[in-house]
């Protein structure tokens, strides 16, 4: 007896669990036939299913090649497929199929758990789109599976008696609501579970504040319900399970709290909440950004547990903007309050962001090529080298070919020009002019996006207008007070505004919001430390950079100021290799510093280092 697995990876195994090496198209044919009435089709029907986008003659030829491969593997009477000159049939008595779980009779709660566990894996998950017929079949089967799960859920919920039963019911309900947030009977069932919420209470929804919960009756009496949109158009929010520092206790408790908040948030009508199982898979994925993009997620709550409590930050994924960030204590006495506070903060901020970003979000989804090119450019800007900067510029320009009004691409372009001006250290005024033009274009297209104001502030700094730079970056931080990159740029400007102490405090805040800090953050912290005459700290920040090249000069000056001539010479020689025509006085005349003492201190360090 063989076993056909259709959920997750499509595969065939023998009684010992060993994989049977059938071609992928043969396994797909078995799964398809299992769902067909009579479990037999003509050869033409099978060919049309597997290669619906090809001409009939070509599809027939492809099928004959596939059949030849199958017969080479197994042409016995015990083979799962019976192939004749005119038909292909499934010998259903020769194998079991995991889909049978959905129709297996038995105790409702046991059946619900089995079905829920099964549906937490994607049906035909490893099947790559090959034809419209295959895509339509997979979508049709997924809808059928959800209908069956819903039927089992309704029956099982009546017999739920204990905490394990409630968890099984809530897990299945969340799976259904992830795909269809408008399913009110399932939502009501979830909200009525003991320990979830009172049956007549809903969290705030669109247009309401988050200072309280509102009884459902009063809510419907005071205003009309927001018009519901198809589930496929709703933005998606995932709450990632918390990670923790080594040795911190309470991780399982924090994870349970986040799962509980996920249930609480299912009251929101204008956002689709990703089920906890999917969130767990995303957390474990080695490429989280790709997984988040693959699941079309707009918002994510990232959480970390430490000895100080549970740190949570809500991120708008398309632009990596932190909407809010805060820390919640995790003592037993405060847990019930924390659950409600996290849920209320999330619901209110997501609703506000939906109203503010809906147009931009829909534009992103309508122009996926633009978004992809933008992400390529953003990833390249992680390294401040001239080749990376120019490749990023090409990617941002590519994004604008697909979407002429994509504000983040203009901010990216502006950043490439200021970065090139900084790295080349030649005082090229044309680069700053282009940076300013693109920053203004970004603001023109989205005046509430902090990124445009940030780039304008950075450009104003290098143009020598320190006060205008501080003003633009202060406005950017007001628009997005937890956007780490904005706070970093504000800190960098404060260094040049001769306020290194304020700058260091601000860059440390940015680093707390973005713990795996980019090199640019560390470079800024090194500069602030240098002007506070904390030279050892400046060197330590440079040493922590993955690519130290942009900070060779500040490292050389810091080493020289503490009398470490050997290391000062080491960094100076590397800086001169990158830019052999560097001139101290010319550079100091170009770099804006508000007060003369700052230029004098930097000049002293550079000259002592031998520049």
């Amino acid at each position: 007896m063989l076993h056909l697995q259709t959920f997750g990876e499509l595969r065939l195994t023998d009684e010992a669990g060993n994989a049977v090496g059938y071609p992928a198209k043969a396994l797909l044919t078995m799964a398809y036939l299992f769902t067909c009435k009579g479990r037999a089709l003509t050869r033409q029907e099978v060919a049309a299913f597997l290669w619906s986008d090809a001409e009939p003659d070509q599809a027939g030829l492809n099928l004959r090649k596939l059949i030849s491969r199958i017969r080479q593997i197994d042409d016995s009477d015990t083979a799962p497929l019976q192939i004749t000159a005119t038909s292909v049939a499934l010998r259903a008595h020769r194998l079991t199929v995991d889909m049978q779980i959905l129709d297996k009779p038995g105790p409702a709660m046991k059946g619900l758990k089995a079905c829920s566990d099964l549906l937490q894996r994607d049906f035909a998950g490893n099947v790559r789109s090959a034809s419209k017929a295959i895509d339509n079949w997979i979508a049709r089967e997924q809808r059928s599976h959800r209908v069956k799960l819903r039927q089992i859920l309704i029956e099982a919920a009546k017999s739920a008696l204990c905490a394990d039963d409630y968890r099984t019911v809530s897990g299945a309900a969340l799976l259904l609501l992830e795909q269809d947030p408008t399913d009110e009977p399932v939502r009501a069932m979830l909200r009525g579970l003991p320990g979830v919420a009172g049956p007549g209470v809903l969290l705030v929804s669109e247009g309401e504040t988050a200072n309280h919960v509102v009884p459902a009756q009063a809510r419907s009496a005071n205003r009309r319900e927001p018009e519901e949109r198809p589930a496929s158009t709703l933005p998606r929010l995932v709450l990632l399970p918390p990670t923790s520092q080594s040795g911190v206790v309470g991780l399982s408790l924090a994870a349970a709290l986040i799962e509980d908040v996920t249930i609480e948030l299912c009251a929101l009508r204008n956002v689709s909440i990703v089920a906890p199982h999917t969130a767990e898979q995303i957390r474990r994925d080695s490429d989280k950004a790709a997984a988040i993009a693959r699941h079309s997620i707009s918002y994510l709550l990232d959480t970390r547990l430490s000895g100080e409590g549970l740190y949570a930050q809500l991120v708008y994924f398309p632009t990596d903007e932190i909407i809010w960030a805060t820390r919640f204590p995790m003592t037993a006495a405060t847990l019930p309050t924390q659950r409600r506070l996290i849920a209320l903060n999330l619901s209110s901020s997501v609703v506000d962001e939906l109203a503010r970003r809906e147009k931009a979000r829909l534009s992103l989804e309508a122009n996926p090529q633009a978004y992809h090119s933008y992400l390529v450019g953003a990833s390249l800007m992680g390294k401040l080298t001239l080749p990376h900067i120019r490749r990023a510029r090409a990617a941002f320009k590519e994004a604008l070919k697909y979407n002429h009004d994509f504000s983040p691409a203009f901010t990216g372009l502006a950043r490439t020009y200021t970065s090139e001006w900084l790295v080349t250290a030649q005082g090229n005024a044309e680069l700053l002019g282009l940076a300013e033009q693109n920053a203004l274009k970004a603001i023109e297209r989205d005046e509430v996006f902090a990124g445009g104001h940030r780039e304008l502030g950075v450009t104003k700094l290098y143009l020598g207008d320190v006060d205008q730079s501080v003003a633009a970056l202060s406005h950017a931080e007001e628009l997005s007070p937890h956007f780490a990159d904005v706070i970093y740029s504000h800190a960098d400007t404060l260094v040049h505004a001769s306020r290194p102490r304020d700058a260091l405090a601000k860059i440390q805040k940015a680093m707390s919001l973005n713990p795996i800090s980019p090199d640019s953050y560390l470079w800024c912290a090194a500069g602030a430390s240098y002007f506070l005459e904390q030279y050892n700290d400046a060197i330590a920040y440079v040493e922590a950079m993955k690519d130290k090249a942009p900070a060779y000069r500040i490292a050389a000056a810091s080493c020289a100021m503490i009398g470490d001539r050997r290391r000062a010479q080491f960094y100076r020689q590397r800086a001169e290799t990158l830019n052999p025509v560097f001139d101290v006085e010319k550079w100091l005349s170009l770099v804006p510093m508000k007060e003369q003492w700052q230029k004098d201190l930097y000049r002293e360090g550079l000259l002592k280092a031998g520049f």
Side-chain angles (χ1 to χ4, degrees):
M1 182 70 72
L2 301 174
H3 178 71
L4 179 63
Q5 176 181 304
T6 63
F7 284 85
E9 181 184 1
L10 189 63
R11 63 200 297 261
L12 188 68
T13 56
D14 60 22
E15 290 181 341
N18 300 313
V20 179
Y22 267 67
K25 284 283 196 298
L27 300 181
L28 189 59
T29 301
M30 291 181 206
Y32 180 56
L33 288 170
F34 184 82
T35 64
C36 293
K37 187 177 181 180
R39 294 174 181 167
L41 294 171
T42 66
R43 281 196 177 203
Q44 290 83 358
E45 288 171 329
V46 173
F49 169 70
L50 294 174
W51 295 281
S52 65
D53 298 334
E55 294 295 327
D57 289 347
Q58 182 62 48
L61 176 61
N62 292 342
L63 179 61
R64 289 193 294 275
K65 291 180 179 178
L66 176 63
I67 290 172
S68 176
R69 292 179 62 197
I70 292 172
R71 283 174 170 162
Q72 289 175 7
I73 295 168
D74 190 355
D75 194 23
S76 67
D77 291 338
T78 60
L81 289 175
Q82 181 181 9
I83 303 170
T84 70
T86 59
S87 67
V88 181
L90 183 70
R91 291 188 173 106
H93 62 286
R94 296 291 184 189
L95 79 166
T96 59
V97 183
D98 55 2
M99 277 188 280
Q100 292 169 318
I101 291 174
L102 296 167
D103 299 309
K104 188 176 181 180
M109 191 59 65
K110 183 178 179 181
L112 179 64
K113 188 176 190 318
C115 293
S116 181
D117 289 346
L118 188 67
L119 266 63
Q120 284 178 347
R121 290 173 286 159
D122 290 337
F123 177 68
N126 66 330
V127 174
R128 295 293 172 260
S129 180
S131 73
K132 291 180 180 177
I134 293 174
D135 292 343
N136 292 338
W137 168 69
I138 291 174
R140 187 169 63 249
E141 287 302 309
Q142 288 174 333
R143 288 193 296 269
S144 173
H145 301 156
R146 289 195 294 270
V147 168
K148 291 179 180 178
L149 178 64
R150 192 178 187 278
Q151 292 170 344
I152 299 170
L153 171 64
I154 291 171
E155 186 63 30
K158 300 173 185 175
S159 60
L161 297 173
C162 62
D164 286 345
D165 290 349
Y166 300 145
R167 183 168 292 277
T168 298
V169 170
S170 66
L174 285 169
L175 274 176
L176 292 170
L177 287 173
E178 179 182 351
Q179 297 300 321
D180 183 10
T182 64
D183 192 335
E184 291 305 320
V186 170
R187 189 189 305 279
M189 179 189 304
L190 181 64
R191 302 283 298 172
L193 289 176
V196 174
V201 176
L202 298 174
L203 284 181
V204 291
S205 187
E206 185 181 19
E208 296 173 342
T209 61
N211 297 323
H212 58 284
V213 291
V214 184
Q217 298 87 340
R219 188 167 171 269
S220 59
N222 288 338
R223 62 173 180 82
R224 293 176 55 192
E225 287 293 320
E227 182 180 347
E228 290 180 347
R229 292 178 291 165
S232 60
T233 68
L234 293 175
R236 307 189 83 197
L237 165 65
V238 62
L239 288 76
L240 297 179
T243 57
S244 71
Q245 299 171 348
S246 58
V248 176
V249 296
L251 183 62
S252 59
L253 190 65
L257 174 65
I258 293 302
E259 185 171 334
D260 205 27
V261 172
T262 302
I263 297 173
E264 189 85 12
L265 286 173
C266 284
L268 290 174
R269 305 305 201 270
N270 280 15
V271 64
S272 174
I273 307 297
V274 174
H277 176 81
T278 304
E280 177 68 32
Q281 301 309 307
I282 292 172
R283 170 63 84 191
R284 292 177 180 177
D285 200 298
S286 58
D287 189 348
K288 292 184 184 62
I292 290 165
R294 186 166 63 249
H295 288 279
S296 303
I297 290 167
S298 302
Y299 300 92
L300 66 105
L301 182 76
D302 197 14
T303 55
R304 297 191 301 275
L305 183 67
S306 69
E308 299 175 349
L310 182 67
Y311 176 77
Q313 59 181 20
L314 180 64
V315 180
Y316 180 59
F317 179 70
T319 57
D320 202 30
E321 181 175 352
I322 298 173
I323 297 167
W324 61 257
T326 191
R327 194 178 300 279
F328 299 94
M330 286 291 292
T331 62
T334 62
L335 278 179
T337 305
Q338 301 318 316
R339 167 192 168 191
R340 181 52 52 90
L341 283 176
I342 297 173
L344 288 177
N345 275 337
L346 271 174
S347 60
S348 62
S349 53
V350 168
V351 167
D352 289 344
E353 286 300 304
L354 284 177
R356 193 164 75 92
R357 295 190 179 278
E358 189 66 355
K359 183 178 178 181
R361 185 184 71 82
L362 293 174
S363 176
L364 278 179
E365 292 174 1
N367 296 277
Q369 301 97 331
Y371 184 41
H372 177 267
S373 297
Y374 165 75
L375 288 179
V376 169
S379 66
L380 288 167
M381 288 302 291
K383 286 192 173 182
L384 293 174
T385 67
L386 207 53
H388 281 84
I389 290 167
R390 288 177 175 170
R391 284 169 56 201
R393 183 177 303 150
F396 292 134
K397 287 181 177 179
E398 181 75 14
L400 289 170
K401 289 180 182 177
Y402 294 112
N403 184 351
H404 302 301
D405 294 316
F406 190 24
S407 180
F410 282 113
T411 65
L413 275 177
R415 174 51 54 119
T416 67
Y417 290 120
T418 52
S419 297
E420 181 170 342
W421 182 89
L422 198 60
V423 169
T424 55
Q426 296 299 306
N428 189 335
E430 183 182 357
L431 290 172
L432 295 183
L434 290 168
E436 185 174 22
Q437 289 174 26
N438 282 281
L440 291 171
K441 287 178 181 178
I443 294 170
E444 180 185 344
R445 284 155 179 79
D446 187 354
E447 62 181 13
V448 297
F449 175 43
H453 298 280
R454 172 201 178 195
E455 297 308 328
L456 181 62
V458 171
T459 306
K460 289 292 186 184
L461 171 65
Y462 298 142
L463 286 169
D465 196 339
V466 176
D467 291 336
Q468 281 293 313
S469 174
V470 172
L473 285 158
S474 295
H475 183 56
E477 193 171 347
E478 287 172 6
L479 288 170
S480 191
H482 300 286
F483 194 169
D485 285 352
V486 167
I487 296 170
Y488 144 70
S489 293
H490 196 176
D492 192 42
T493 289
L494 290 174
V495 171
H496 294 271
S498 304
R499 294 166 55 186
R501 194 168 304 281
D502 293 339
L504 189 59
K506 201 164 281 291
I507 193 60
Q508 286 171 344
K509 178 183 177 182
M511 292 165 75
S512 71
L513 289 170
N514 196 357
I516 306 176
S517 301
D519 285 346
S520 54
Y521 288 27
L522 298 165
W523 187 12
C524 174
S529 299
Y530 179 89
F531 292 114
L532 288 170
E533 300 183 46
Q534 298 170 1
Y535 303 118
N536 285 310
D537 289 347
I539 296 165
Y541 281 122
V542 174
E543 289 293 335
M545 294 171 66
K546 292 183 178 66
D547 180 8
K548 302 173 181 58
Y552 283 153
R553 288 191 295 272
I554 198 77
S558 298
C559 291
M561 293 298 274
I562 61 172
D564 190 339
R565 293 186 177 183
R566 184 181 60 81
R567 276 205 296 173
Q569 182 184 27
F570 170 84
Y571 283 120
R572 176 180 57 78
Q573 288 174 343
R574 274 152 181 74
E576 289 177 339
T577 300
L578 292 174
N579 188 356
V581 297
F582 176 77
D583 180 85
V584 172
E585 294 305 327
K586 180 181 178 182
W587 178 239
L588 289 175
S589 69
L590 294 172
V591 175
M593 294 181 185
K594 192 166 185 179
E595 296 183 11
Q596 186 60 38
W597 67 265
Q598 200 172 6
K599 288 193 176 188
D600 293 342
L601 187 62
Y602 198 18
R603 178 186 291 107
E604 181 182 355
L606 290 171
L607 293 177
K608 280 185 175 180
F611 285 100

